[in-house]
Amino acid sequence: MARNTQPSATVDRRGQPPEDDAEVFGASQYTKARAVREHYQARLAKIDYEERIAKLVSGEEVQVAAFNKFRQFRDAMINLPDRLAAMLAPRP
C-alpha cells in the first residue's frame, strides 16, 4: 500500500530535502521546461529577425500611420459640404 501513496514532501534517502531541483521535479519535467523555454526563445529570435529585415513594423508606427490617414479622411468629409453647396443649391 505504501508504494501507491505519494509522500507529502519530497525527501531523499537520508531523510533530507533534495538539494537539486532536478531531484524535486525530475529530469522529464526539466526537459519539458527547457523545451518550452527554447521554443519561446526561437519565436522571439524570429520576430527580431523579421523586424530587422523590415518584414515587420512596430505597432507604434502603424498607429501613427492610421491616425494620419483617418485625420485626412475626416478633413475631407468636413470639407465636403463646402464643395457641394454650390452644386446642390436651388437655382432661381
Side-chain angles (χ1 to χ4, degrees):
M1 176 125 159
R3 69 175 191 208
N4 292 334
T5 61
Q6 294 180 346
S8 60
T10 305
V11 293
D12 65 7
R13 293 182 205 150
R14 299 172 304 224
Q16 300 292 327
E19 297 173 7
D20 187 13
D21 286 342
E23 292 178 30
V24 175
F25 296 113
S28 67
Q29 287 185 346
Y30 173 76
T31 305
K32 288 178 189 176
R34 178 80 185 234
V36 169
R37 180 181 174 275
E38 292 299 322
H39 172 72
Y40 283 110
Q41 289 288 1
R43 291 179 74 179
L44 289 173
K46 180 181 177 187
I47 290 171
D48 185 44
Y49 170 74
E50 289 177 347
E51 284 178 348
R52 289 177 189 243
I53 64 169
K55 189 173 182 180
L56 294 178
V57 294
S58 72
E60 186 175 304
E61 291 178 38
V62 172
Q63 286 179 337
V64 169
F67 177 81
N68 290 334
K69 287 294 180 185
F70 283 120
R71 176 177 279 177
Q72 290 174 352
F73 177 74
R74 182 202 65 190
D75 292 345
M77 290 285 115
I78 288 173
N79 293 329
L80 196 58
D82 294 336
R83 291 186 291 159
L84 296 177
M87 292 189 295
L88 298 176
R91 297 181 188 199

